[in-house]
Amino acid sequence: MNIIKLSAINSTNDYLKGLTAAQFVENFTIVVTEDQTGGRGQMGSKWNVEPGKNLTFSVLIKDLLLEINEIFNLNAAVAVSVIEGLESFNISNLSIKWPNDILAGNKKIGGILIENSIKNNGEIFSIVGIGLNVNQKDFGELPKASSLSLVTGKEYDKDAVMAGIVENLRRNVAGILNSNTNFIWNKYHSKLYKMGVPMPFDKEGQKFMGIIKGVSKSGTLEVQLADDSVANFSIKEVQLLY
Ligand code: BTN
């Protein structure tokens, strides 16, 4: 496994992207840092965590050609790989909040940011960024954040946790390459937070009740509405209120 360990960097996603522009980088190369000073999250948010205590890393996945209507296969595989990696450390009560927040109970312990790019020579690079709260115990003003340590009361070896996640990621990406994604989607849905339960949603400031029926391979959320029709919402359109 090719692992680049850094003590501090702006963003591991940006660092890995820069590296691929400058030189040949092996498939599944990992960039991990102790302190990420400009971590980026979904939809332009920031990812700020305490230095030294958590996992902030990015993995390069090459040439995973995904059709636009199946673009979410990789997101599902990454979320499932994080869950499977953590389950091997006996962390229970894990779920995936659409699109790919990792929850323990109803608190967020991890997030995923995947960025795809096509190089001039046609190569496709997916940069899979994973932030996982491991040994941090204080989240100050963030009541919905938690960590492995807060959940179990134990301290974790970050390298071992990362290795567990990446091992599952390799296997699940191989599944996608063999067009065998059923097992990924079955697991994704079995772990989907609030699946089948009436829940409040927000769509551009309007609140409504709906029941999550599933997530499509393009990443839209399928929600059964009050009139029993099923609507598909994109990530930017709705927010699950919890
Ligand atoms: C989210 O839930 O909003 C996604 C957070 C993703 C954070 C990770 S940490 C490693 C990688 N580098 C970044 O700048 N972001 C991702």
Side-chain angles (χ1 to χ4, degrees):
M1 207 153 42
N2 185 18
I3 305 182
I4 300 168
K5 288 190 174 188
L6 304 170
S7 50
I9 196 74
N10 191 39
S11 156
T12 54
N13 268 31
D14 293 346
Y15 182 89
L16 188 50
K17 208 178 295 170
L19 211 59
T20 60
Q23 65 185 68
F24 172 83
V25 184
E26 226 177 85
N27 204 10
F28 282 95
T29 291
I30 301 168
V31 173
V32 56
T33 188
E34 289 295 319
D35 183 9
Q36 186 170 243
T37 52
R40 296 185 290 107
Q42 298 262 357
M43 312 246 283
S45 66
K46 293 196 167 66
W47 186 261
N48 293 326
V49 286
E50 203 180 317
K53 303 259 177 181
N54 302 296
L55 271 173
T56 45
F57 67 103
S58 302
V59 186
L60 176 67
I61 298 177
K62 287 195 202 179
D63 294 326
L64 191 67
L65 229 188
L66 294 172
E67 301 290 332
I68 198 77
N69 60 352
E70 295 206 348
I71 193 86
F72 206 69
N73 275 344
L74 180 58
N75 293 66
V78 176
V80 163
S81 304
V82 173
I83 298 269
E84 288 172 339
L86 296 182
E87 282 173 344
S88 66
F89 286 84
N90 295 320
I91 317 280
S92 53
N93 217 359
L94 296 167
S95 62
I96 303 165
K97 185 176 171 221
W98 176 79
N100 45 22
D101 285 353
I102 307 298
L103 305 191
N106 61 0
K107 296 197 173 183
K108 180 163 172 173
I109 58 164
I112 295 161
L113 179 67
I114 301 178
E115 297 176 296
N116 299 304
S117 58
I118 303 180
K119 303 243 296 177
N120 289 341
N121 65 2
E123 276 187 312
I124 299 165
F125 288 171
S126 301
I127 301 207
V128 173
I130 298 174
L132 184 71
N133 301 335
V134 181
N135 294 320
Q136 182 170 339
K137 295 210 176 59
D138 184 2
F139 288 89
E141 302 289 287
L142 295 171
K144 286 180 185 166
S146 191
S147 66
L148 301 187
S149 259
L150 278 179
V151 171
T152 66
K154 295 181 190 159
E155 287 272 310
Y156 291 85
D157 174 343
K158 290 183 285 157
D159 287 347
V161 173
M162 184 172 76
I165 293 169
V166 174
E167 186 187 310
N168 283 289
L169 185 59
R170 279 177 173 271
R171 189 174 40 79
N172 287 322
V173 167
I176 297 177
L177 289 169
N178 293 328
S179 306
N180 175 14
T181 57
N182 282 351
F183 68 104
I184 294 170
W185 281 99
N186 288 344
K187 179 95 188 196
Y188 182 92
H189 281 119
S190 76
K191 292 287 165 186
L192 193 58
Y193 184 67
K194 299 295 182 191
M195 169 111 151
V197 184
M199 287 297 291
F201 291 84
D202 180 300
K203 185 173 187 288
E204 289 141 14
Q206 301 270 58
K207 306 262 184 301
F208 68 94
M209 291 298 290
I211 299 175
I212 296 178
K213 304 303 278 182
V215 173
S216 73
K217 289 189 172 180
S218 66
T220 56
L221 187 70
E222 299 158 349
V223 182
Q224 184 178 333
L225 305 175
D227 64 2
D228 278 349
S229 65
V230 175
N232 270 54
F233 295 110
S234 74
I235 290 157
K236 289 182 188 137
E237 265 181 318
V238 287
Q239 207 192 340
L240 169 62
L241 303 171
Y242 69 104

